[in-house]
Amino acid sequence: MLPLELTLVLAATRDMGIGLNGALPWTGLKKEMAYFARVTKRLPPHVQPPALNAVIMGRKTWDSIPPRFRPLKGRLNVVISRSFAAPPTLPQNADAEPVRAGSLEQAVEFLRAKSERGEVGRVFVIGGAQIYDAALKLGAGRVLLTRVMREFECDTHFGLRLGEGEAGDGWVKRDKGELDAWTGEEVPGGVQVEGGTEYEFQMWERVD
Ligand code: FOL
């Protein structure tokens, strides 16, 4: 069976803070959010429309997205909740409703089948902390990390420490050329600043 590659996408502070009170810890990182939207939408080479990339998220992350932006457009949205008992099925209207799955494993099985039929391109895991942890346990091999270099109060943290330097434990930071090649775009390099907040776009890969 083909493995389904999972890519985690997140923005995190230096100590891996990702959330506060059910929302992002910051406001106003508009270009950062635009990067998230672009990268999660862009199909990989050799996958053609009408295929879509998929975004998998936990129920709390779904709730955190402003209703006018969800389902995230141009992507197949999959929401995980233990209260969804039935196997995942495509909703009648995928523009209005997400696919619902009872576990990350069920979501991945559902998407693997669609991917084998050429109906799904990349699969992104977009949070939150519980779903990121589950994806790492399932062997997710890539993290698109936006490193936010400013302190924000956070009550939710990403469970993997990716160092400021090159050596995360079993993970390596790829260079800008590799990030550009993978995303299919020229990602702004170096420190970005928006409204006084500095951040950097990074890509990490599992090496073991
Ligand atoms: N990854 C990164 N890099 N930045 C994030 O802010 C982020 N946020 C989440 C997951 N991974 C992330 C989870 N939270 C939207 C809102 C919250 C959210 C994820 C997405 C959202 O509304 N997205 C719209 C863009 C809306 C806009 O243009 O402002 C989308 O179409 O993706």
Side-chain angles (χ1 to χ4, degrees):
M1 204 160 41
L2 272 170
L4 186 71
E5 289 182 18
L6 299 179
T7 296
L8 278 53
V9 192
L10 62 138
T13 62
R14 272 190 247 271
D15 68 344
M16 290 293 164
I18 59 169
L20 177 68
N21 298 328
L24 295 172
W26 43 80
T27 55
L29 298 189
K30 292 189 61 173
K31 292 182 177 167
E32 204 293 311
M33 185 57 85
Y35 166 81
F36 165 88
R38 263 192 337 271
V39 166
T40 54
K41 280 179 197 165
R42 181 172 280 111
L43 287 171
H46 313 301
V47 177
Q48 317 299 336
L52 296 174
N53 292 337
V55 288
I56 302 178
M57 72 196 91
R59 193 268 306 162
K60 292 179 195 171
T61 295
W62 171 263
D63 287 346
S64 80
I65 298 173
R68 69 182 180 285
F69 289 130
R70 68 184 200 221
L72 297 178
K73 64 172 186 280
R75 290 146 285 183
L76 178 60
N77 287 226
V78 181
V79 177
I80 295 171
S81 166
R82 277 184 269 265
S83 72
F84 302 145
T89 49
L90 208 55
Q92 290 297 323
N93 180 359
D95 295 333
E97 267 192 277
V99 173
R100 298 174 184 283
S103 66
L104 179 64
E105 286 83 351
Q106 282 185 24
V108 164
E109 281 316 303
F110 172 81
L111 291 171
R112 188 199 316 279
K114 296 189 78 61
S115 147
E116 282 169 0
R117 286 184 249 117
E119 295 165 11
V120 158
R122 287 177 168 155
V123 177
F124 293 97
V125 175
I126 68 162
Q130 292 182 48
I131 305 300
Y132 289 136
D133 279 351
L136 290 169
K137 287 209 182 83
L138 270 188
R142 186 182 310 277
V143 177
L144 297 181
L145 169 66
T146 301
R147 169 80 62 183
V148 177
M149 290 123 101
R150 180 175 151 187
E151 302 262 347
F152 285 93
E153 187 191 346
C154 295
D155 61 15
T156 310
H157 293 79
F158 182 52
L160 177 68
R161 295 212 81 86
L162 296 170
E164 296 275 303
E166 294 304 298
D169 209 30
W171 291 78
V172 286
K173 185 174 137 187
R174 298 306 190 189
D175 66 22
K176 182 198 183 308
E178 292 165 306
L179 173 58
D180 288 353
W182 193 83
T183 58
E185 65 173 79
E186 189 153 333
V187 174
V191 176
Q192 310 297 304
V193 190
E194 261 191 295
T197 299
E198 297 187 329
Y199 60 83
E200 187 183 23
F201 297 118
Q202 302 180 349
M203 178 167 74
W204 291 77
E205 271 184 89
R206 200 192 282 267
V207 281
D208 48 30

